Amino acid sequence: MTSLDEILVQAQSLNQNAREIALTYLDQSAISNPNSLFQQLSQILLDGLCQKNIRILAAIYLKNNINKYWDTISSNNKDHIKANCISSLGINDLDLVKIGAITVSTLFLKELPKGLWKEGLDILITNSYNTINTYKHASLLTLGYICEDLNPEVLTNEEKYKILLATLSGMAQDNEEIQYVSITAFKNSVKFFEANFRNGNESYEILMSLYDNFKYFPVLAFQTIGEILTVFPEIFDNTLCTLGELTYNGIKSDNEDIALAAINVWNTIGDIEKYRLEIGIPLLGYLETACESLTELLLPKLLLPLIDDEWSVSKAAYNMMSSISVICEGQNSQQVSRFIKEHIYSKSYMKKSLAGILALSSLYEESTEVHDNFREYFSQVIKLFNSPHEDVQKHAFWCFSRFCKNSNKDLDEKFIIEAQEKLLKFINCEGKSNPFACWGLKAIYQRYSWILDINQCKCVIETLLKIITQENKYRTEYYELITSILNEIPDNYINIIELLFTQFLNFYTNNLLNNDLYNIYISNTLQIILTKLPANRLTEPIIDKTLNSIILFLNIKSTLYEESLQLLGALAINTGPNFSSYLPKVSSYLLHSITILDSSGIIKSGIIAIGDIARTLGSEMPLFIEKAIPSLLIILENPNILITCKILSINCLGDIANAVNQVFLPYMPIILKYLDGAAGISLQITNDADLNENLYELRESIIQFYICLIQGLAKNYKQNLIQERLSQLNTYIGIIIQDKFSPTPYLHQCILGLIIDLIENYKDYKLDTVLFTYIKSFSKSCNGLCDAARIIMSLCN
């Protein structure tokens, strides 16, 4: 291969060996001389004499590697690459323009956050008004890609406003292709237009411009409305009538894509309202205004086909009806009741019965009251357990499970017992069992545990075990029902628990080479059984058999490594201190698991298992822990490892500090230094829901760590080693209890526990005014935190 063109051709070869050689060459060139490679790739993208597929591949390779190598390229070469790529947007070929736009947007995402290539952004905005549609289309497309992933804070208000005007101008064009790409760009850029949407007059004009495009691109326009609702839900108040008219017409449409998109707008509103209800802020009121008219449109949609694993019009309508039942509190109950009565009793038309079940079930999809005028339908649902139509039967089981789980009032005992008897017949029937009946039984056992009968439980479990053994179907319903029974049965049902352990251990031992999903179910169920099984109940031969099976899976089934480690932790907890004699057999696997840095799942499972063993064995495992701590520190210090793994590492080190203090002490200074850094990170406040969740957990883990550390030091009379940290710890607690950090009840519980430990172990420890007021606020509450608060108040006195 003598040219980059030929290398790119070979990179697409059907011959795997030739393809791998070419890709290896490209990767090595990127490492050794990125300046030359990336400039050549950008020239190929622009070169009209090259074959189209080669130009596309050049752009793909360039795009995929920009983040990795861009900072190693010289400024001069960067300018050439950017110029070539942005010039490629003038190509009159949609495929090349699309890949070019993606590549250019990737370059912008690297440059704009650094305040660079603003002139390139000006070029795109200027070209979005170009009289040549090719330039206009490509520029708007690229602006949309850029804004989809760019942080709005990177651009000035003036730049954001220019993008807004460019997209609105494109929407007003006569060319449908330009209109479509403009709406798409606008949809991707909604978060940039806050200043404009917060201005009442501007907001109205923007929405009306979008509404004008519904007749041409209804699905895209509905999707765009959904994006705006997600970011600025309050702005639709003045145009709600127009939005209602557009969405209602969309719902009535015979075109399923349009109807689905229109219902999804209301589903977005429903989700927003439920969230506002949950956090206690005023509702928008949109759904209550539309409740009755919207219900009339949605109910007939329940007659449309339900398609498994596909978001359909009927599923969207069902979801919307569920939101209405939560938000509007029976405002449409007469309409729904009339629909159910007209459909659920149908004997000749399966779709009508199914629609009636769905309407009834939607009322109980979330926690709600049992409406008296719906009670008459419950018995009909039980009768439909025997429907000859599998879909009706399945949804009758589902509907019943919703009643049990989500009704705020208990259902009549007679009704529950009747349903249970029928469901048991479906589980116990000879021949083909019905896994969907498990839904109903599971809901009964979870809500009405007083119905549990030992002989009945044993009968159900034996039947399920027989099904699992004989049927070559790995249905989650069977395992979930067994788990539900396990979670609810009293601990004195020891015979059932031991029966389950024996059977599932045999399944686990004998199914090494079978379906991985099956083995996951078995392993997870074994873990639950071990938590219910009394300690020291397992004999040495059984422990050996279990350990040997786990080791086999660890050696042979890499896909089940996580489950095997989790099972190992559960076994250690159940075995208790006696597990110390078994630890040498598995210690190498545990230590290896937390060094597999490219698998966060395995790292997490390994850390959790080591923590389980630390709490179980305490000081009986110093050599093992001395080998584990350095690997845990690597996890903490490695910037490429997920924060969730770091949080688990902190928790695990806390367990070690509490249990094996003498091994922990030499590492304490470096660990505390890391904790100081983690405490600083934990005080971030972001708009990223997932990151915020991780930060909640990080704050909790830091407090938990200090609880374990202080208790571990106190057991060895060495609590004075962190005496100088008490003021710093007080300051941190005083910050994280502030409302802006949304402290969870669990965090409050941890903080109060830590304060008790501080008072009991440090004579000079004093509460400052902030913490004293904080504790006093709980002392008269009615929740579970009041006892801890009162203990602290009494200790202070």
Side-chain angles (χ1 to χ4, degrees):
M1 294 182 287
T2 59
S3 70
L4 188 56
D5 294 35
E6 293 175 356
I7 293 168
L8 291 169
V9 170
Q10 288 299 313
Q12 302 172 86
S13 172
L14 296 176
N15 183 297
Q16 183 177 350
N17 186 50
R19 189 168 64 251
E20 288 179 355
I21 291 172
L23 290 172
T24 300
Y25 181 90
L26 287 169
D27 291 342
Q28 290 175 346
S29 298
I31 294 169
S32 62
N33 194 353
N35 284 285
S36 174
L37 177 65
F38 281 69
Q39 187 162 335
Q40 288 183 71
L41 289 170
S42 68
Q43 288 168 348
I44 290 172
L45 171 61
L46 186 60
D47 189 352
L49 298 178
C50 282
Q51 296 178 26
K52 177 177 174 178
N53 62 329
I54 295 175
R55 296 168 73 182
I56 290 174
L57 189 60
I60 291 172
Y61 192 87
L62 180 59
K63 170 189 71 74
N64 290 346
N65 289 278
I66 283 170
N67 285 328
K68 191 172 182 179
Y69 297 106
W70 190 248
D71 292 337
T72 66
I73 296 172
S74 69
S75 297
N76 189 45
N77 278 299
K78 283 181 180 177
D79 290 340
H80 282 111
I81 293 166
K82 290 186 292 188
N84 286 338
C85 289
I86 205 165
S87 296
S88 74
L89 299 179
I91 299 168
N92 194 15
D93 183 297
L94 287 178
D95 294 330
L96 287 168
V97 165
K98 185 172 182 179
I99 190 61
I102 294 171
T103 305
V104 171
S105 69
T106 308
L107 290 169
F108 270 109
L109 292 172
K110 286 294 289 183
E111 297 287 81
L112 287 175
K114 301 173 185 176
L116 303 174
W117 210 18
K118 292 295 186 84
E119 69 279 8
L121 190 64
D122 288 337
I123 290 171
L124 291 178
I125 292 170
T126 300
N127 277 342
S128 68
Y129 295 96
N130 201 296
T131 54
I132 301 174
N133 283 337
T134 299
Y135 292 116
K136 192 193 300 282
H137 178 274
S139 298
L140 288 164
L141 182 65
T142 309
L143 285 170
Y145 286 144
I146 294 168
C147 293
E148 188 172 14
D149 295 313
L150 188 67
N151 185 334
E153 294 179 5
V154 167
L155 300 184
T156 66
N157 285 336
E158 183 182 357
E159 288 164 341
K160 295 173 189 177
Y161 187 56
K162 287 179 179 179
I163 293 172
L164 172 62
L165 293 179
T167 56
L168 291 177
S169 173
M171 287 187 211
Q173 301 295 306
D174 291 333
N175 185 296
E176 289 191 4
E177 191 177 273
I178 300 300
Q179 286 176 314
Y180 187 88
V181 76
S182 298
I183 300 171
T184 304
F186 177 89
K187 176 171 73 75
N188 293 345
S189 312
V190 164
K191 60 189 176 183
F192 285 81
F193 307 144
E194 179 172 7
N196 310 99
F197 277 119
R198 298 299 184 199
N199 181 310
N201 292 332
E202 274 194 82
S203 174
Y204 179 83
E205 294 298 328
I206 293 168
L207 289 178
M208 295 311 293
S209 295
L210 182 59
Y211 292 158
D212 287 341
N213 285 272
F214 267 88
K215 57 186 174 183
Y216 304 114
F217 310 105
V219 173
L220 179 59
F222 282 133
Q223 291 170 349
T224 306
I225 289 293
E227 287 293 323
I228 300 172
L229 277 164
T230 302
V231 186
F232 312 111
E234 301 90 351
I235 68 165
F236 287 87
D237 197 49
N238 292 334
T239 64
L240 191 59
C241 290
T242 306
L243 180 62
E245 182 182 352
L246 291 167
T247 52
Y248 284 14
N249 287 335
I251 294 171
K252 294 173 188 175
S253 173
D254 293 332
N255 183 308
E256 289 193 10
D257 290 337
I258 295 174
L260 182 58
I263 298 173
N264 283 341
V265 169
W266 285 101
N267 270 315
T268 300
I269 293 172
D271 290 341
I272 292 167
E273 293 288 55
K274 285 189 289 186
Y275 176 72
R276 294 170 80 97
L277 184 67
E278 182 182 340
I279 63 175
I281 63 175
L283 300 181
L284 298 169
Y286 301 166
L287 202 51
E288 291 172 298
T289 300
C291 175
E292 294 182 20
S293 55
L294 189 58
T295 298
E296 285 298 319
L297 292 174
L298 292 172
L299 285 171
K301 299 298 180 182
L302 299 179
L303 288 159
L304 296 175
L306 287 165
I307 305 169
D308 287 342
D309 302 321
E310 187 174 316
W311 186 245
S312 59
V313 171
S314 51
K315 287 182 181 178
Y318 174 86
N319 190 70
M320 192 62 245
M321 290 297 301
S322 301
S323 295
I324 290 173
S325 73
V326 173
I327 300 300
C328 300
E329 297 181 342
Q331 189 176 329
N332 62 347
S333 59
Q334 290 186 350
Q335 293 168 281
V336 178
S337 180
R338 186 166 56 249
F339 182 87
I340 295 170
K341 184 176 289 187
E342 290 172 357
H343 292 79
I344 201 168
Y345 295 109
S346 175
K347 294 181 180 179
S348 57
Y349 190 36
M350 182 267 289
K351 285 186 178 179
K352 290 187 72 174
S353 288
L354 182 56
I357 293 171
L358 289 173
L360 183 57
S361 183
S362 71
L363 300 171
Y364 301 94
E365 184 61 31
E366 298 187 39
S367 180
T368 188
E369 294 289 343
V370 176
H371 297 285
D372 287 336
N373 55 332
F374 296 137
R375 288 179 181 274
E376 63 179 285
Y377 307 128
F378 294 166
S379 294
Q380 179 63 18
V381 169
I382 295 177
K383 290 178 183 177
L384 289 172
F385 289 175
N386 295 312
S387 170
H389 304 290
E390 184 178 333
D391 226 20
V392 171
Q393 186 186 57
K394 180 172 76 173
H395 282 87
F397 292 143
W398 176 251
C399 185
F400 175 77
S401 73
R402 299 294 87 194
F403 298 159
C404 291
K405 182 178 179 181
N406 294 323
S407 58
N408 287 338
K409 296 178 183 176
D410 285 344
L411 302 179
D412 295 339
E413 181 177 340
K414 180 180 178 182
F415 172 69
I416 294 296
I417 291 173
E418 179 189 356
Q420 184 191 27
E421 289 173 353
K422 288 203 171 190
L423 291 165
L424 284 170
K425 288 180 182 178
F426 284 105
I427 298 297
N428 292 321
C429 66
E430 294 295 326
K432 184 181 179 183
S433 62
N434 193 323
F436 303 113
C438 296
W439 292 339
L441 273 180
K442 175 185 170 186
I444 288 176
Y445 292 150
Q446 287 177 333
R447 175 71 177 267
Y448 303 96
S449 56
W450 49 266
I451 284 180
L452 282 168
D453 173 86
I454 188 166
N455 293 322
Q456 207 172 61
C457 286
K458 189 174 180 182
C459 178
V460 173
I461 283 175
E462 287 175 343
T463 302
L464 291 170
L465 291 173
K466 183 178 178 182
I467 294 168
I468 292 169
T469 304
Q470 293 179 350
E471 291 190 11
N472 190 27
K473 295 178 181 177
Y474 312 116
R475 299 299 298 255
T476 59
E477 290 86 0
Y478 300 133
Y479 296 91
E480 287 176 355
L481 180 53
I482 288 176
T483 299
S484 295
I485 295 173
L486 269 171
N487 286 333
E488 299 303 329
I489 60 176
D491 292 339
N492 60 359
Y493 281 30
I494 187 66
N495 292 336
I496 293 179
I497 298 170
E498 289 187 326
L499 166 69
L500 277 169
F501 181 80
T502 301
Q503 289 292 333
F504 272 86
L505 181 57
N506 287 335
F507 291 154
Y508 186 75
T509 304
N510 298 330
N511 287 279
L512 180 63
L513 300 178
N514 280 5
N515 185 291
D516 279 357
L517 184 59
Y518 187 29
N519 286 318
I520 290 172
Y521 292 152
I522 293 169
S523 176
N524 291 342
T525 308
L526 263 179
Q527 290 176 52
I528 297 168
I529 296 170
L530 283 169
T531 63
K532 294 288 287 190
L533 198 65
N536 301 316
R537 192 82 178 187
L538 300 179
T539 63
E540 286 187 19
I542 292 296
I543 295 173
D544 278 327
K545 180 180 179 181
T546 309
L547 271 181
N548 290 335
S549 297
I550 291 172
I551 291 169
L552 267 176
F553 273 92
L554 288 169
N555 283 329
I556 298 173
K557 284 280 189 177
S558 60
T559 52
L560 299 173
Y561 213 99
E562 295 172 36
E563 287 74 20
S564 302
L565 291 167
Q566 292 162 13
L567 183 56
L568 187 58
L571 179 64
I573 291 172
N574 183 271
T575 306
N578 293 332
F579 192 77
S580 60
S581 60
Y582 300 98
L583 183 57
K585 293 182 69 172
V586 295
S587 60
S588 61
Y589 297 99
L590 289 162
L591 295 171
H592 174 65
S593 69
I594 58 174
T595 64
I596 305 176
L597 302 184
D598 60 346
S599 175
S600 59
I602 292 177
I603 289 179
K604 289 177 187 177
S605 298
I607 294 171
I608 292 169
I610 291 171
D612 291 340
I613 292 170
R615 291 191 302 277
T616 299
L617 297 185
S619 59
E620 298 296 317
M621 51 171 203
L623 293 177
F624 171 70
I625 288 303
E626 199 159 5
K627 294 177 181 177
I629 291 177
S631 295
L632 292 170
L633 289 175
I634 289 172
I635 292 169
L636 291 177
E637 294 167 354
N638 190 325
N640 298 319
I641 292 180
L642 294 178
I643 188 173
T644 49
C645 295
K646 297 176 187 291
I647 291 168
L648 289 173
S649 293
I650 293 171
N651 292 338
C652 186
L653 287 166
D655 292 331
I656 292 169
N658 188 295
V660 200
N661 203 251
Q662 72 276 19
V663 176
F664 178 83
L665 286 178
Y667 296 97
M668 189 169 72
I670 190 171
I671 292 170
L672 289 177
K673 183 178 179 182
Y674 180 86
L675 258 288
D676 290 340
I681 292 170
S682 75
L683 300 181
Q684 296 179 69
I685 298 176
T686 76
N687 294 321
D688 185 328
D690 291 335
L691 179 55
N692 280 336
E693 188 65 33
N694 289 332
L695 294 172
Y696 294 146
E697 293 175 3
L698 180 57
R699 292 191 282 271
E700 291 169 358
S701 71
I702 291 169
I703 298 299
Q704 287 173 329
F705 173 85
Y706 276 106
I707 291 172
C708 292
L709 176 61
I710 291 169
Q711 291 177 359
L713 290 171
K715 283 186 286 189
N716 294 276
Y717 306 103
K718 294 180 178 179
Q719 57 265 51
N720 63 308
L721 291 177
I722 62 164
Q723 179 90 35
E724 74 283 356
R725 290 189 152 257
L726 301 188
S727 175
Q728 177 182 335
L729 199 50
N730 257 9
T731 301
Y732 180 68
I733 294 171
I735 294 172
I736 64 174
I737 61 175
Q738 295 176 23
D739 290 343
K740 66 180 180 179
F741 291 104
S742 304
T744 62
Y746 181 67
L747 180 61
H748 289 309
Q749 180 184 332
C750 292
I751 289 172
L752 294 176
L754 174 58
I755 291 173
I756 291 173
D757 286 336
L758 290 169
I759 294 173
E760 290 180 339
N761 288 288
Y762 299 94
K763 292 181 180 179
D764 298 332
Y765 177 76
K766 300 293 182 185
L767 291 169
D768 59 27
T769 305
V770 172
L771 289 185
F772 189 82
T773 304
Y774 165 73
I775 291 160
K776 196 174 180 180
S777 69
F778 291 113
S779 62
K780 296 182 180 180
S781 62
C782 298
N783 55 37
L785 301 173
C786 64
D787 291 339
R790 289 171 184 172
I791 290 171
I792 294 171
M793 299 296 285
S794 65
L795 288 172
C796 290
N797 295 330

